[in-house]
Amino acid sequence: MTQSVKGMRDLWGTELAHFQFVERMCHQIMGAHGYQEIRTPIVESTDLFSRGVGSTTDIVNKEMYTFQDRSDRSLTLRPENTASVVRAIIQNKLLEGNDPLHLFYIGPMFRYERMQAGRYRQFWQIGAESIGVSSPESEVESIVMLFDFLASLGLADLSLSINSVGFPEERTSFYIALKAFVKAQEGAFCLDCQRRIEDNPLRVLDCKVPSCQMALTGHPEVLTFLSAESQSHHEKFQKCLQSSRIPFAVNPKMVRGLDYYTRTTFEVLSSDLGAQSALLGGGRYDRLIQDLGGPPTPAFGWALGFDRLVSLLMKKNTALPSKPRIFLIPLGDSMIEDAFQLVRPLWAAGHSIELETRGVALKKSLSTANRKGHSHAFILGEGEKAKDIITVKFLTTGEQEEWPLREISSRILKL
Ligand code: HAM
């Protein structure tokens, strides 16, 4: 039979319940911070990403799902969403008035990557973008929201790595120093890095090949080459993180794999994720909006690997808040109409009740309810109808109670 495409998977059951729980918390926390949701198309013109993400990045060079449509346009399944959000902001003139704009998104992204645990070709991201403010304080606001969000999911012990890559024009003398450093021991670097040092030297720093990482010991650090303004921005950012009690470490190698970053970059890692330890990453991108045809506008944001977040939650055995799951079993064909009448106001009140409509024997219905993980079976037969009650069977303990019909809704709330 036809299988799903390699690296793309179905979500259901417990894993999906975790996704849904995280989505609810995301709406709650980001809503509290004044962020609004934005939904952009999954398919965009290819040039949005080659211009936005950078034509020498791995994402654009090796990982995009690009195809020609029937009118011969080159289209790409979005590998990330910052470029799309920026396009949407410019196209829909969301920046008019110059007020700060706070947006978040949840959705699937596509990268043709080598398969590994925690790395998919269709994966989900939750992201937040704060547009129109250049201050380090706006960066910390976004990071505080992120940490509040992670804490609401029970994740409190994560490490934040920060760095600054300055503006492209500030990197010229850093590139000269880094090139000289790499050239002096060229053989120690992989062929990709030997090419990268010419096209896009920053990318050498985040090469994943272990021998390249070894060879980088003692490399020149971009931070030390930056202007006084960028250095002071970085210091203020650190001070503000400290006063917000967010622990962090400066990592001079962390330059991020996308080209649009200016000044602050950051990642959150988790040792529980193994080799693919980046749970999320982000930073400032003060030139992207202008580069994509909008007015010069500072911006800052991050995106989190949703699949990786859920795998962390499941590893930590985080219990999801759960409602009772009820299976309503009418006994025999004569009771199905009464069951409908009983259940419709309960559905309208938001209770989670699955109705047995097969008309099978009670024993079969009860074993279905057990197999499907229901917590309670509500049994409605002629006897119950005559007494205006329902029999409630607690499926985990086997205990049984009789409830007056008019009290059902209030009693479910107490379960
Ligand atoms: P990114 O670092 O490319 O940044 O991706 C963010 C996160 O998405 C990663 O830290 C990782 O958790 C997850 N991720 C990336 N690739 C995969 C994959 N193949 N499978 C599973 N998870 C993956 C961005 O995308 C930027 N747009 C972030 C940003 C927003 N910067 C500013 N605003």
Side-chain angles (χ1 to χ4, degrees):
M1 76 156 271
T2 310
Q3 302 277 321
S4 67
V5 174
K6 190 173 171 192
M8 306 196 181
R9 66 211 183 98
D10 307 304
L11 295 171
W12 75 95
T14 313
E15 191 177 18
L16 182 61
H18 279 82
F19 270 79
Q20 291 167 330
F21 166 63
V22 172
E23 283 173 23
R24 285 197 296 277
M25 296 314 292
C26 171
H27 282 270
Q28 196 174 311
I29 306 266
M30 307 223 182
H33 280 249
Y35 282 64
Q36 290 185 334
E37 188 179 0
I38 184 162
R39 298 186 191 187
T40 58
I42 281 167
V43 178
E44 298 273 3
S45 292
T46 302
D47 73 307
L48 175 67
F49 302 112
S50 35
R51 286 168 61 205
V53 174
S55 57
T56 57
T57 57
D58 277 358
I59 294 180
V60 170
N61 261 334
K62 305 184 187 165
E63 297 171 358
M64 294 207 303
Y65 280 91
T66 295
F67 58 96
Q68 304 296 118
D69 75 359
R70 288 175 193 277
S71 308
D72 222 24
R73 296 183 194 94
S74 178
L75 302 180
T76 294
L77 301 186
R78 61 183 186 191
E80 62 105 54
N81 209 26
T82 306
S84 309
V85 168
V86 167
R87 180 207 45 72
I89 289 171
I90 300 170
Q91 186 175 334
N92 300 297
K93 301 193 172 48
L94 302 185
L95 275 173
E96 273 180 344
N98 272 341
D99 292 330
L101 185 63
H102 293 118
L103 300 170
F104 76 93
Y105 51 83
I106 304 174
M109 311 292 152
F110 301 83
R111 295 184 194 174
Y112 192 86
E113 290 201 74
R114 211 149 6 101
M115 298 301 303
Q116 275 184 22
R119 200 193 265 175
Y120 303 100
R121 291 182 175 171
Q122 174 176 331
F123 60 98
W124 287 70
Q125 280 187 346
I126 295 179
E129 312 291 352
S130 164
I131 316 284
V133 190
S134 59
S135 68
E137 289 77 8
S138 72
E139 301 168 4
V140 175
E141 184 280 323
S142 169
I143 293 177
V144 164
M145 174 175 75
L146 166 65
F147 273 68
D148 283 353
F149 170 53
L150 294 171
S152 76
L153 304 171
L155 298 174
D157 52 347
L158 297 164
S159 55
L160 171 68
S161 299
I162 63 166
N163 196 16
S164 174
V165 293
F167 286 102
E169 60 276 15
E170 296 172 43
R171 286 179 220 141
T172 317
S173 44
F174 165 68
Y175 286 163
I176 294 170
L178 187 65
K179 268 185 197 168
F181 178 87
V182 170
K183 284 263 152 42
Q185 39 168 348
E186 208 161 29
F189 286 92
C190 70
L191 290 177
D192 271 347
C193 277
Q194 293 179 29
R195 179 182 49 74
R196 285 182 191 124
I197 196 66
E198 299 303 334
D199 303 345
N200 191 346
L202 268 192
R203 298 279 73 81
V204 172
L205 292 181
D206 52 25
C207 177
K208 302 280 178 300
V209 176
S211 54
C212 295
Q213 283 299 314
M214 286 277 286
L216 278 169
T217 311
H219 68 85
E221 296 182 1
V222 59
L223 253 178
T224 57
F225 289 81
L226 301 185
S227 67
E229 291 78 13
S230 286
Q231 302 224 9
S232 139
H233 182 103
H234 191 54
E235 274 152 31
K236 278 193 202 142
F237 172 60
Q238 295 185 53
K239 273 209 188 105
C240 193
L241 280 176
Q242 275 156 354
S243 58
S244 305
R245 293 199 190 80
I246 303 220
F248 63 89
V250 178
N251 176 0
K253 271 209 193 74
M254 203 268 301
V255 291
R256 311 270 303 120
L258 303 95
D259 278 355
Y260 47 64
Y261 292 110
T262 54
R263 292 193 164 159
T264 307
T265 53
F266 75 101
E267 279 183 355
V268 170
L269 310 179
S270 165
S271 48
D272 289 330
L273 287 172
Q276 289 305 307
S277 65
L279 176 61
L280 64 96
R284 176 163 287 291
Y285 50 97
D286 285 351
R287 299 276 166 84
L288 183 63
I289 298 176
Q290 191 172 11
D291 287 349
L292 292 178
T297 312
F300 179 87
W302 48 263
L304 170 158
F306 199 171
D307 308 74
R308 293 183 189 177
L309 175 70
V310 165
S311 102
L312 258 188
L313 295 177
M314 291 177 69
K315 247 185 227 158
K316 288 187 185 276
N317 239 337
T318 311
L320 296 180
S322 63
K323 286 202 218 171
R325 291 188 52 214
I326 296 158
F327 201 40
L328 173 57
I329 307 170
L331 284 186
D333 288 345
S334 61
M335 293 310 295
I336 186 79
E337 263 178 46
D338 295 83
F340 265 113
Q341 272 176 29
L342 177 70
V343 77
R344 289 191 65 178
L346 298 175
W347 280 334
H351 299 302
S352 169
I353 301 178
E354 188 175 335
L355 180 62
E356 168 66 280
T357 52
R358 292 175 299 178
V360 293
L362 177 62
K363 200 167 161 216
K364 186 162 180 182
S365 295
L366 285 175
S367 45
T368 298
N370 275 313
R371 254 197 319 276
K372 292 185 71 175
H374 284 93
S375 54
H376 301 80
F378 284 9
I379 301 160
L380 184 64
E382 297 284 357
E384 279 83 4
K385 186 180 173 187
K387 290 199 276 174
D388 259 351
I389 54 131
I390 191 145
T391 300
V392 175
K393 195 171 172 70
F394 290 68
L395 293 171
T396 40
T397 60
E399 282 168 47
Q400 227 163 270
E401 289 180 359
E402 291 185 348
W403 290 2
L405 286 182
R406 63 184 180 317
E407 287 178 18
I408 290 187
S409 192
S410 59
R411 288 205 183 202
I412 293 176
L413 290 175
K414 292 190 194 125
L415 282 175

